[in-house]
Amino acid sequence: MSTVDILIPTYCRPAALAVTLTSLIAQSFKDFDLIVSDQTEEGDPLAAAEVQTALAVLRIHGHRIAAHKHLPRRGMAEHRQFLLDQAQAPYVLFLDDDLILESWLVGALVRTLKEEDCGFVGSAVIGLSYLADVRPHEQQIRFWDGPVQPESVRPDTPEWERYRLHNAANLYHLQRRLGLGPADRRRYRVAWVGGCVLYDTARLRSVGGFQFWRSLPPVHCGEDALAQLRVMARYGGCGLIPSGVYHQELPTTIEDRTANAPRLLEVPEAG
């Protein structure tokens, strides 16, 4: 069994997925396996030459690969739960299918989660097309100076406004201003982290994982945020700066975002 199972849900994005997989090849941390699940109804992105080549390189580097076709589509929460059900490792790293990771990132996430013994650690994605869009008013950060502790964060509270730090290239600008490099990683308080989150598998499952999918309409968003809020309320969670992950900035595959899971379902009190 590996230390980490990397879980990637994908839909209609063979080229972006291949780029994401390629950045996993270069990770300095090697003790991971990969589970990919595709929900493309017409066609098979996992069969694309660029994806197959990246998967083949990962295999010759010693990583076990499991590739699934998971239909019908019942929403992102159900897809994430399907992936979680396949995992066996003590940690699971949920990755979006359109990211580029620095070579040190997975190792930094694992070290931080082990050190903090909390529920999750995330690295928020940076949009490099926003490098010229500096937003000091969105760059407030509150570091964890002691151990990460359980927190209750709900929509429309002051803590919820932490999400603004993850807009555009705010993290990039902030980490440059603070002079933070990979050896200077610091933990900070979050509302949630999108795109790249490492969980303690047992703790994610103990709060129900993504089984709340049955209480959501098939078209929804915010399922990753709701799972993190529930884990954070019981076990704590944090973000990691500097961030080591970049968004490929493709158009979203979920255009209708009116059904937002944290606004529809319960977020528990901390403790």
Side-chain angles (χ1 to χ4, degrees):
M1 182 189 300
S2 62
T3 297
V4 178
D5 279 337
I6 297 180
L7 311 180
I8 304 179
T10 188
Y11 175 69
C12 293
R13 287 178 168 173
L17 175 61
V19 172
T20 302
L21 295 173
T22 300
S23 69
L24 293 178
I25 294 167
Q27 291 300 304
S28 57
F29 178 88
K30 304 296 185 184
D31 189 15
F32 66 84
D33 293 327
L34 180 66
I35 305 171
V36 185
S37 177
D38 172 54
Q39 291 199 313
T40 306
E41 295 97 341
E42 297 182 8
D44 186 5
L46 297 183
E50 60 268 36
V51 173
Q52 283 296 305
T53 300
L55 291 174
V57 176
L58 284 162
R59 285 192 183 96
I60 66 172
H61 282 224
H63 305 290
R64 289 184 290 270
I65 311 292
H68 299 272
K69 189 79 165 183
H70 182 59
L71 292 170
R73 298 178 70 200
R74 299 185 180 94
M76 277 303 306
E78 190 275 340
H79 200 187
R80 289 182 185 274
Q81 183 62 41
F82 171 79
L83 281 162
L84 182 59
D85 288 343
Q86 315 310 308
Q88 300 182 39
Y91 302 112
V92 290
L93 174 59
F94 273 96
L95 285 184
D96 285 357
D97 62 358
D98 58 346
L99 306 178
I100 300 176
L101 281 62
E102 295 276 10
S103 62
W104 48 265
L105 178 63
V106 176
L109 291 171
V110 172
R111 287 191 296 274
T112 303
L113 191 54
K114 287 182 175 181
E115 291 166 1
E116 292 303 318
D117 192 28
C118 58
F120 72 84
V121 178
S123 187
V125 301
I126 293 171
L128 292 178
S129 68
Y130 294 90
L131 284 181
D133 183 3
V134 182
R135 307 178 184 185
H137 62 288
E138 292 188 340
Q139 293 176 20
Q140 290 78 25
I141 191 168
R142 188 178 176 192
F143 292 110
W144 283 102
D145 295 320
V148 173
Q149 299 292 326
E151 285 189 285
S152 183
V153 177
R154 288 184 169 84
D156 304 319
T157 64
E159 293 79 14
W160 189 256
E161 293 302 303
R162 297 171 185 169
Y163 81 87
R164 297 183 186 278
L165 178 61
H166 296 164
N167 288 343
N170 288 335
L171 273 178
Y172 178 82
H173 294 135
L174 181 60
Q175 64 199 38
R176 289 290 298 270
R177 190 172 80 239
L178 297 176
L180 299 177
D184 309 307
R185 56 191 167 92
R186 296 191 65 182
R187 303 148 300 120
Y188 65 95
R189 297 173 186 257
V190 297
W192 73 88
V193 182
C196 178
V197 183
L198 180 73
Y199 294 90
D200 179 297
T201 308
R203 289 175 172 175
L204 176 58
R205 285 175 171 153
S206 76
V207 300
F210 299 86
Q211 295 183 54
F212 54 78
W213 69 267
R214 297 177 178 86
S215 301
L216 293 171
V219 179
H220 58 258
C221 66
E223 78 295 331
D224 51 345
L226 180 58
Q228 289 171 50
L229 295 174
R230 291 181 171 184
V231 171
M232 185 159 51
R234 186 177 298 182
Y235 302 109
C238 65
L240 197 63
I241 186 171
S243 168
V245 60
Y246 308 96
H247 194 215
Q248 295 182 44
E249 301 188 68
L250 276 65
T252 181
T253 58
I254 305 173
E255 296 181 0
D256 184 350
R257 308 183 77 83
T258 54
N260 193 333
R263 295 185 179 275
L264 296 175
L265 301 178
E266 179 188 5
V267 178
E269 292 284 353

